[in-house]
């Protein structure tokens, strides 16, 4: 059961990666730039929430693959929030949307790395559980 949940979380991370890239690509292609104030406000609120979750998960991060995956997702969320805040500053300074797109690409790569890491760790355990 643990392995399935970890694999499911890895697929979820990968799905968020694709969604973020698609959304940013469409936005930049259609010329609609992000609002630096909106990015900053929501990024700050989400950062506080995700830091709280990360603090609660800290002592369980090495308990098992499920908790490791959950902790890694929360850590990625904190990194993404920081990226959004940096992007908001970049959008405010430049008046253009490219800092948001750049932050989205970096965040997407971070999520992809995490998904690969969780799958790489869960795969042998899943394979071993399938052997009679």
């Amino acid at each position: 059961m643990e392995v399935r949940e970890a694999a499911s979380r890895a697929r979820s991370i990968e799905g968020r990666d694709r969604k973020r890239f698609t959304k940013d690509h469409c936005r930049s292609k259609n010329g609609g730039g992000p609002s630096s104030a909106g990015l900053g406000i929501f990024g700050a609120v989400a950062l506080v929430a995700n830091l709280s979750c990360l603090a609660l998960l800290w002592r369980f991060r090495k308990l098992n693959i499920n908790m490791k995956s959950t902790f890694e997702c929360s850590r990625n969320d904190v990194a993404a929030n920081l990226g959004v805040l940096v992007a908001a500053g970049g959008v405010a300074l430049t008046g253009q949307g490219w800092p948001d797109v750049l932050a989205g690409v970096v965040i997407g790569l971070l999520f992809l790395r995490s998904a690969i890491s969780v799958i790489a760790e869960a795969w042998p355990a899943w394979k071993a559980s399938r052997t009679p």
Side-chain angles (χ1 to χ4, degrees), residues 112-130:
L112 183 61
R113 185 203 62 80
S114 292
I116 291 168
S117 170
V118 170
I119 289 171
E121 189 169 333
W123 188 261
W126 177 78
K127 213 170 163 186
S129 72
R130 306 271 303 170

Side-chain angles (χ1 to χ4, degrees), residues 4-77:
R4 273 190 229 143
E5 289 173 13
S8 174
R9 282 199 183 94
R11 284 191 302 273
S12 173
I13 292 169
E14 192 260 338
R16 281 192 295 188
D17 175 32
R18 258 190 278 125
K19 252 189 232 173
R20 174 74 185 193
F21 176 77
T22 303
K23 184 176 82 172
D24 287 343
H25 177 69
C26 290
R27 186 184 312 142
S28 68
K29 199 172 173 186
N30 296 329
S35 158
S36 61
L39 282 170
I41 290 168
F42 286 106
V45 169
L47 179 62
V48 170
N50 286 322
L51 280 171
S52 300
C53 290
L54 194 64
L56 291 171
L57 291 169
W58 184 262
R59 66 185 173 136
F60 301 108
R61 70 188 184 282
K62 294 182 182 177
L63 185 65
N64 56 39
I65 193 163
N66 256 345
M67 292 308 292
K68 180 180 180 186
S69 173
T70 302
F71 177 79
E72 197 158 331
C73 287
S74 292
R75 188 196 64 206
N76 287 350
D77 289 342

